[in-house]
Amino acid sequence: MSGYAGVGTIPRLAHTGRVTQARVALSEWTKLRSLRSTRWSLFAAVLLTIGFPVLFAFVTSSHWGSMSPSERADRHPLDIALAGVNVSQLAVAVLGVLVITGEYSTGMIRASFSAVPKRLPVLWAKTLVFAAVTLVLMVPSVLAAFYASQAILSRHHILQTSMSHPGVARSVVGGAVYVVLVGVFALGLGAIVRNTAGGIATFAGIFFVIPPLMNVLPASWNTAISKYLPSEAARQLFSLTHDSSSLSPLWGGLLFAAYCAVVIALAAVLLLRRDT
Amino acid sequence: MIEAAALTKDYGDKRAVDDLSLTVRPGIVTGFLGPNGSGKSTTMRLILGLDAPTAGNVTVNGKHYRDHAAPLHEVGALLEARSLHGGRSAYDHLLALAQTHGIGRSRVDELIDLVGLREVARKRAGKFSLGMGQRLGIASALLGDPSTVMLDEPVNGLDPEGIHWMRNLLKGLAAEGRTVFVSSHLMSEMALTADHLIVIGRGRKIADMTTDEFVSQASGNVVRVRTPQAAELEAQLAGPDVTVKPLERELLEVRGLTARQVGELAAAKQIVLHELTPQQASLEEAFMTLTRDDVEFKAAEPEEAVV
């Protein structure tokens, strides 16, 4: 390391612009793309989304001959095509938490809020950029998962469906939207908790711990409450069958979007009130 | 121009900044001095709006920092605590900050060259040495061509060449008419750069004056006396507020009396003097004298609550 420039050469800046929401969004895009954790998490999400359906399609094809009729009847092509969504949601949720908690754990948040002291534009930009990036990656991923698993199954002439069947296109695209919203939900939790481990634990608690706990409740309570849980409401986006114990895809999706909005709004209020 | 009025900040039941009023003017380097944990960093966070004051008010160029349309053009800050993501390269770090204000890539390159980080600009900043991290912090601070530059302990971790560069940088920034506000716990460093000093201890302002005034006020009366009748003089000078310390066989250091008082007393008692010299205390001594109580108090206290 050498070479400080001579002093007296501190260059003046011809023009300094004001902070705008669009500029903060561009800045957040730079932050997101310049970290390894982003690349790895998103790579994992894409790989899992496509990889699991391909794997399950192969396994199902090769075992089809030895399956009982009832077992065959249990298999559904969409369960295979969307098998990766349940796994990739984890990678995206962890990244969602990290997008904000990574700034707190490293101290970057002080630089971010010094540049944008109004703070809220940072939260909006993070949410928007993260949602856009995951959406752009997840939609092609679920489509690839669907067509790849169908192509493998079609060689054995089993479990064929098509995008034109009722509910299929909605379920497939719904799988991508599900992952994106889960990521946004996790980002909001991260902004509230401001700690990576705490953020991931909170997410896991809401999505994976609370739902099974409902089974302890009396059955009537369980059916009345469970469908309104964030995880259950969100799942309707990509589940093909719906009955009285579940919300419709539209209402489930809207309810989970509302949960996301509440979490982000709470994060926004706390962001303005808390010291950094 | 930074103006704080009755600024107070509590963390729980610990008061970090206590009724602090100060004005930092453009065109000069203002040193912000205090022992570790005296509230310097907290004050700077309050100026930037990173923490909200419990009471009082602070503005930069007449407005709250958060109300400026282009904050990085108003204040460029280097905080003591690390403020960057170690997984990101120096270049991307600066670029992300620049983009919030629509500042272009050429400016980022310019600053990387200014602080001498060209060779490592694309490497992850987490691998940087303390000094390199500090220089990256300076580059971030100067990115928006700010009218006020606020640096928290900027020479920490710099090599001698870097310290020299920093001194000249600070003076150069002030000469350009900028407001330069630099904190340090090292008085000697400030003596070489600061024109004006604000000293705090336990969150309260202890002194606010030019560096010259500070030295003359805080040094107290110290006089060196050379006399062949040292023992005799020592006996004559003894008093409740006077301390006499023999330095050599015929040399005494007298505290608590002026050279004039010592001279007159010696003449009255017919004691021969070979030398009578008022001593100027070093800045470090002056600083320690001023903040002694606060340091002593600090030693019995837990660390400053940092959020």
Side-chain angles (χ1 to χ4, degrees):
Chain A
M1 282 314 306
S2 67
Y4 291 95
V7 175
T9 60
I10 304 144
R12 300 310 294 245
L13 187 59
H15 169 74
T16 319
R18 26 191 323 123
V19 175
T20 65
Q21 184 64 63
R23 283 172 170 164
V24 178
L26 179 62
S27 165
E28 287 301 328
W29 162 241
T30 300
K31 284 189 197 167
L32 190 67
R33 69 168 171 75
S34 58
L35 287 179
R36 278 187 201 171
S37 57
T38 307
R39 295 196 286 269
W40 281 111
S41 303
L42 292 176
F43 176 72
V46 169
L47 196 72
L48 294 168
T49 304
I50 303 170
F52 271 90
V54 167
L55 182 71
F56 289 154
F58 273 122
V59 172
T60 307
S61 305
S62 63
H63 284 70
W64 192 258
S66 60
M67 283 181 181
S68 68
S70 68
E71 207 178 347
R72 288 181 180 183
D74 259 4
R75 292 287 175 277
H76 193 280
L78 275 186
D79 288 340
I80 293 172
L82 296 173
V85 165
N86 282 311
V87 194
S88 62
Q89 67 169 343
L90 266 177
V92 172
V94 168
L95 181 61
V97 170
L98 272 177
V99 159
I100 184 87
T101 60
E103 295 224 2
Y104 283 98
S105 62
T106 58
M108 179 67 199
I109 197 72
R110 286 185 282 268
S112 297
F113 285 169
S114 298
V116 188
K118 289 189 167 56
R119 299 186 182 184
L120 287 186
V122 174
L123 180 65
W124 306 149
K126 274 191 191 301
T127 309
L128 202 76
V129 169
F130 177 68
V133 168
T134 44
L135 187 70
V136 162
L137 288 173
M138 288 315 292
V139 170
S141 297
V142 290
L143 292 175
F146 175 80
Y147 287 114
S149 59
Q150 282 291 297
I152 294 162
L153 295 168
S154 74
R155 286 191 298 186
H156 301 265
H157 311 289
I158 53 170
L159 295 174
Q160 289 301 287
T161 185
S162 102
M163 279 291 181
S164 55
H165 285 183
V168 171
R170 187 266 307 156
S171 293
V172 172
V173 176
V177 173
Y178 170 81
V179 174
V180 173
L181 287 180
V182 163
V184 169
F185 188 76
L187 191 156
L189 292 180
I192 292 168
V193 178
R194 302 198 293 185
N195 168 287
T196 306
I200 292 171
T202 307
F203 171 78
I206 293 173
F207 263 66
F208 307 121
V209 178
I210 293 178
L213 281 183
M214 289 295 142
N215 293 329
V216 179
L217 297 175
S220 60
W221 292 23
N222 187 354
T223 40
I225 297 171
S226 279
K227 59 182 169 184
Y228 299 111
L229 291 178
S231 51
E232 278 304 299
R235 248 169 30 79
Q236 306 315 317
L237 281 164
F238 68 98
S239 66
L240 192 66
T241 54
H242 300 87
D243 54 35
S244 61
S245 72
S246 65
L247 296 171
S248 71
L250 179 66
W251 285 112
L254 285 177
L255 179 59
F256 187 57
Y259 276 120
C260 292
V262 167
V263 168
I264 295 286
L266 182 59
V269 171
L270 292 173
L271 204 64
L272 289 179
R273 295 177 63 151
R274 292 198 286 209
D275 287 344
T276 304
Chain B
M1 178 85 111
I2 302 169
E3 289 162 292
L7 207 54
T8 299
K9 178 65 180 177
D10 294 338
Y11 293 111
D13 53 9
K14 162 114 168 97
R15 180 150 291 188
V17 174
D18 191 357
D19 196 30
L20 184 67
S21 297
L22 51 84
T23 302
V24 186
R25 291 182 184 78
I28 56 169
V29 177
T30 302
F32 192 31
L33 270 165
N36 287 328
S38 57
K40 304 186 297 292
S41 300
T42 302
T43 303
M44 289 188 165
R45 282 204 301 272
L46 293 173
I47 292 169
L48 290 177
L50 290 175
D51 289 10
T54 306
N57 193 35
V58 60
T59 60
V60 178
N61 299 332
K63 281 186 190 177
H64 289 139
Y65 181 69
R66 58 164 291 158
D67 292 333
H68 284 289
L72 290 184
H73 191 51
E74 306 295 332
V75 182
L78 168 73
L79 298 174
E80 191 182 13
R82 267 170 66 92
S83 306
L84 57 89
H85 196 305
R88 205 171 273 129
S89 73
Y91 182 87
D92 286 329
H93 173 74
L94 291 173
L95 180 63
L97 293 179
Q99 283 171 333
T100 59
H101 284 60
I103 299 168
R105 286 167 186 266
S106 61
R107 176 71 177 177
V108 172
D109 282 319
E110 218 168 55
L111 281 154
I112 283 172
D113 288 333
L114 178 79
V115 299
L117 287 176
R118 170 59 55 203
E119 294 157 50
V120 293
R122 299 284 179 175
K123 297 219 166 74
R124 292 160 48 126
K127 308 252 185 231
F128 281 14
S129 68
L130 189 57
M132 283 154 75
Q134 209 66 344
R135 288 195 253 167
L136 177 54
I138 301 290
S140 323
L142 298 177
L143 197 60
D145 193 14
S147 63
T148 295
V149 180
M150 186 166 78
L151 310 173
D152 201 359
E153 304 274 359
V155 300
N156 265 4
L158 292 184
D159 53 19
E161 188 198 6
I163 292 172
H164 180 74
W165 176 83
M166 177 64 66
R167 276 179 206 145
N168 289 332
L169 176 73
L170 296 177
K171 286 176 179 165
L173 290 167
E176 288 174 335
R178 298 181 214 248
T179 303
V180 182
F181 191 41
V182 192
S183 84
S184 179
H185 64 284
L186 296 175
M187 184 69 223
S188 49
E189 183 51 42
M190 285 293 95
L192 293 166
T193 28
D195 307 292
H196 193 94
L197 292 176
I198 295 172
V199 183
I200 66 168
R202 271 199 288 154
R204 276 196 293 272
K205 193 161 80 176
I206 299 172
D208 185 348
M209 58 190 75
T210 68
T211 309
D212 295 342
E213 281 170 350
F214 176 80
V215 178
S216 53
Q217 190 186 47
S219 60
N221 294 320
V222 179
V223 183
R224 276 162 73 115
V225 193
R226 197 178 291 276
T227 168
Q229 297 159 267
E232 202 176 326
L233 181 65
E234 194 176 341
Q236 291 297 334
L237 292 174
D241 296 326
V242 182
T243 54
V244 181
K245 192 166 80 179
L247 297 178
E248 292 168 22
R249 196 163 55 83
E250 296 191 347
L251 187 63
L252 301 174
E253 188 185 78
V254 182
R255 265 174 207 275
L257 291 172
T258 62
R260 185 195 187 101
Q261 290 169 314
V262 174
E264 283 171 358
L265 201 131
K269 302 292 175 189
Q270 298 196 322
I271 294 169
V272 176
L273 298 187
H274 293 162
E275 183 192 337
L276 182 61
T277 321
Q279 300 288 298
Q280 196 173 52
S282 77
L283 277 169
E284 211 67 57
E285 287 170 325
F287 176 52
M288 277 158 59
T289 307
L290 258 180
T291 59
R292 187 177 296 142
D293 298 341
D294 304 302
V295 174
E296 279 168 5
F297 186 86
K298 183 70 177 46
E301 261 209 333
E303 278 298 291
E304 181 192 22
V306 178
V307 175

